Coordinates of all heavy atoms in Angstrom, one line a residue:
E186 N 6.8 -1.9 1.6 CA 5.5 -2.5 2.0 C 4.7 -3.2 1.0 O 4.7 -2.8 -0.1 CB 4.7 -1.1 2.4 CG 5.4 -0.3 3.5 CD 4.5 0.8 4.0 OE1 3.3 0.7 3.8 OE2 5.0 1.7 4.7
N231 N 1.5 0.0 5.8 CA 0.8 1.1 6.6 C -0.6 1.3 6.0 O -1.5 1.4 6.8 CB 1.6 2.4 6.5 CG 2.6 2.5 7.6 OD1 2.4 2.7 8.8 ND2 3.9 2.2 7.2
G232 N -0.7 1.6 4.7 CA -1.9 2.0 4.2 C -1.9 1.9 2.7 O -1.5 1.0 2.1
G233 N -2.2 3.2 2.1 CA -2.5 3.3 0.6 C -1.2 2.7 -0.2 O -1.4 2.0 -1.1
L234 N 0.0 3.2 0.1 CA 1.1 2.8 -0.6 C 1.4 1.3 -0.6 O 1.6 0.7 -1.7 CB 2.3 3.6 -0.1 CG 3.7 3.2 -0.5 CD1 4.5 4.5 -0.7 CD2 4.4 2.3 0.5
G235 N 1.1 0.7 0.5 CA 1.4 -0.7 0.7 C 0.3 -1.5 0.0 O 0.5 -2.6 -0.6
L237 N -1.5 -0.6 -2.5 CA -1.4 -0.4 -3.9 C -0.4 -1.4 -4.5 O -0.7 -2.0 -5.6 CB -0.9 1.1 -4.2 CG -0.8 1.3 -5.7 CD1 -2.1 1.7 -6.3 CD2 0.2 2.6 -6.0
Y383 N 7.9 -0.1 10.2 CA 7.7 1.2 10.8 C 6.2 1.6 10.6 O 5.8 1.8 9.4 CB 8.7 2.2 10.2 CG 10.0 2.2 11.0 CD1 11.0 1.5 10.6 CD2 10.0 3.1 12.1 CE1 12.2 1.4 11.4 CE2 11.3 3.1 12.8 CZ 12.4 2.2 12.5 OH 13.5 2.2 13.2
P384 N 5.6 2.1 11.6 CA 4.1 2.3 11.5 C 3.8 3.8 11.3 O 2.6 4.2 11.5 CB 3.6 1.8 12.8 CG 4.7 2.1 13.9 CD 6.0 2.0 13.1
N385 N 4.7 4.7 11.0 CA 4.3 6.0 10.8 C 4.4 6.3 9.3 O 5.4 6.2 8.6 CB 5.1 7.1 11.4 CG 6.4 6.5 12.0 OD1 6.4 5.3 12.4 ND2 7.5 7.3 12.0
D386 N 3.3 6.7 8.6 CA 3.4 6.8 7.2 C 3.4 8.2 6.8 O 3.2 8.5 5.6 CB 2.2 6.1 6.5 CG 0.9 6.7 6.9 OD1 0.8 7.6 7.9 OD2 -0.1 6.4 6.3
A387 N 3.7 9.1 7.6 CA 3.9 10.5 7.2 C 5.2 11.2 7.7 O 6.0 11.6 6.9 CB 2.7 11.4 7.7
S388 N 5.4 11.2 9.0 CA 6.6 11.9 9.5 C 7.8 11.0 9.5 O 7.8 9.9 10.0 CB 6.3 12.4 10.9 OG 6.2 11.3 11.8
E389 N 8.7 11.5 8.9 CA 10.0 10.8 8.9 C 10.8 11.2 10.1 O 11.1 12.3 10.3 CB 10.8 11.2 7.6 CG 12.1 10.5 7.4 CD 11.9 8.9 7.7 OE1 11.2 8.3 6.9 OE2 12.6 8.5 8.6
N390 N 11.4 10.2 10.9 CA 12.1 10.6 12.0 C 13.5 10.3 12.0 O 14.2 10.3 13.1 CB 11.3 10.3 13.3 CG 10.8 8.8 13.2 OD1 11.3 8.0 12.3 ND2 9.9 8.4 13.9
R395 N 15.6 2.3 10.1 CA 14.8 2.4 8.9 C 15.7 2.6 7.7 O 15.4 2.0 6.7 CB 13.9 3.7 9.1 CG 13.1 4.2 7.9 CD 11.8 3.3 7.5 NE 11.3 3.8 6.3 CZ 10.3 3.2 5.8 NH1 9.8 2.1 6.1 NH2 9.7 3.8 4.7
D435 N 7.9 4.9 -4.1 CA 8.3 5.9 -3.3 C 9.8 6.0 -3.2 O 10.6 5.3 -3.7 CB 7.5 6.0 -2.0 CG 7.2 7.5 -1.6 OD1 7.9 8.4 -1.8 OD2 6.0 7.6 -1.0
H437 N 11.4 5.2 -0.7 CA 12.0 4.3 0.4 C 13.1 3.4 -0.2 O 14.1 3.2 0.6 CB 10.8 3.5 1.0 CG 9.7 4.3 1.4 ND1 8.4 3.8 1.5 CD2 9.5 5.7 1.6 CE1 7.5 4.8 1.8 NE2 8.3 5.9 1.9
N472 N 6.3 8.7 -7.0 CA 6.1 9.7 -5.8 C 4.7 9.4 -5.3 O 3.8 9.4 -6.1 CB 6.4 11.1 -6.2 CG 6.0 12.0 -5.0 OD1 4.8 12.2 -4.8 ND2 7.0 12.5 -4.3
H473 N 4.5 9.4 -3.9 CA 3.2 9.0 -3.4 C 2.8 10.1 -2.5 O 1.8 9.9 -1.7 CB 3.0 7.7 -2.7 CG 3.3 6.6 -3.6 ND1 2.2 5.8 -4.1 CD2 4.4 5.8 -4.1 CE1 2.6 4.9 -4.9 NE2 4.0 4.9 -4.8
T474 N 3.5 11.1 -2.2 CA 3.1 12.1 -1.3 C 3.7 13.6 -1.6 O 4.8 13.7 -2.1 CB 3.4 11.7 0.1 OG1 2.8 12.7 1.0 CG2 4.9 11.6 0.4
A479 N 6.8 14.0 4.9 CA 7.0 12.6 4.4 C 8.1 12.5 3.5 O 8.3 11.3 3.1 CB 5.7 12.1 4.0
E481 N 11.7 12.0 2.4 CA 12.8 11.5 3.2 C 14.1 12.2 2.9 O 14.5 12.5 1.7 CB 13.0 10.0 2.8 CG 11.9 9.2 3.1 CD 12.2 7.7 3.0 OE1 12.6 7.3 1.9 OE2 12.3 7.0 4.1
V551 N 0.6 9.8 -8.9 CA -0.3 8.8 -8.8 C -1.9 9.3 -9.1 O -2.8 8.4 -8.9 CB -0.3 8.0 -7.5 CG1 1.0 7.2 -7.4 CG2 -0.4 8.9 -6.3
N580 N -3.7 5.9 -9.8 CA -3.9 4.7 -9.1 C -5.1 3.9 -9.6 O -6.0 4.4 -10.3 CB -4.0 4.8 -7.7 CG -2.6 5.2 -7.1 OD1 -2.5 5.7 -6.0 ND2 -1.6 4.9 -7.8
Y669 N -4.7 15.8 7.6 CA -5.0 16.2 6.2 C -6.2 15.4 5.7 O -6.9 15.9 4.8 CB -3.9 16.1 5.3 CG -3.6 14.8 4.7 CD1 -4.3 14.4 3.6 CD2 -2.6 13.9 5.1 CE1 -4.0 13.1 3.0 CE2 -2.3 12.8 4.6 CZ -3.0 12.3 3.5 OH -2.8 11.1 3.0
K670 N -6.5 14.3 6.2 CA -7.7 13.4 5.8 C -9.0 13.9 6.5 O -10.1 13.5 6.1 CB -7.4 12.0 6.1 CG -6.2 11.3 5.3 CD -6.0 9.9 5.5 CE -4.8 9.4 4.9 NZ -4.9 9.0 3.5
K767 N -3.8 17.7 -0.8 CA -3.0 17.0 0.2 C -3.0 15.5 0.0 O -2.0 14.8 0.2 CB -3.5 17.3 1.6 CG -3.4 18.7 2.0 CD -2.0 19.1 2.3 CE -1.8 20.6 2.8 NZ -0.4 20.9 2.7
E768 N -4.1 14.9 -0.6 CA -4.2 13.4 -0.7 C -3.7 13.2 -2.1 O -4.2 13.5 -3.1 CB -5.7 13.0 -0.6 CG -5.7 11.5 -0.6 CD -5.3 10.8 0.6 OE1 -6.0 10.6 1.5 OE2 -4.1 10.4 0.6
A769 N -2.5 12.4 -2.2 CA -2.0 12.2 -3.6 C -3.0 11.6 -4.5 O -3.2 12.0 -5.7 CB -0.7 11.3 -3.4
S770 N -3.6 10.6 -4.1 CA -4.6 9.8 -4.9 C -5.8 9.4 -4.2 O -7.0 9.8 -4.3 CB -4.0 8.6 -5.7 OG -5.0 7.8 -6.1
G771 N -5.5 8.5 -3.1 CA -6.6 7.8 -2.5 C -6.9 6.5 -3.3 O -6.8 6.6 -4.5
T772 N -7.2 5.5 -2.6 CA -7.5 4.2 -3.3 C -8.8 3.6 -2.8 O -9.6 2.9 -3.4 CB -6.5 3.2 -3.3 OG1 -5.8 3.1 -2.0 CG2 -5.3 3.5 -4.3
Ligands
LIG2487 C1 6.4 7.4 4.7 C2 7.0 6.9 5.8 C3 7.9 7.7 6.5 C4 8.3 7.4 7.8 C5 8.5 5.8 8.0 C6 7.4 5.0 7.5 C7 6.7 5.6 6.2 C8 5.9 4.8 5.5 C9 5.3 5.3 4.4 C10 5.4 6.6 4.1 C11 4.8 7.1 2.8 C12 3.6 7.4 2.9 C13 3.0 7.8 1.5 C14 1.7 7.1 1.1 O1 1.3 6.1 1.7 N1 1.0 7.7 0.3 C15 -0.2 7.3 -0.2 O2 0.0 6.5 -1.4 C16 -1.3 6.0 -1.9 C17 -1.0 5.1 -3.1 O3 -0.5 6.0 -4.1 C18 -2.2 7.1 -2.3 O4 -3.5 6.6 -2.7 C19 -2.4 8.1 -1.1 O5 -3.3 9.2 -1.4 C20 -1.1 8.5 -0.5 O6 -1.2 9.2 0.8

Side-chain angles (χ1 to χ4, degrees):
E186 304 188 12
N231 272 282
L234 166 142
L237 184 78
Y383 272 91
N385 15 325
D386 65 346
S388 65
E389 184 43 64
N390 42 22
R395 170 81 178 167
D435 218 321
H437 314 158
N472 173 285
H473 294 268
T474 183
E481 294 192 298
V551 291
N580 283 164
Y669 83 80
K670 295 180 189 280
K767 297 290 180 184
E768 187 72 90
S770 160
T772 44

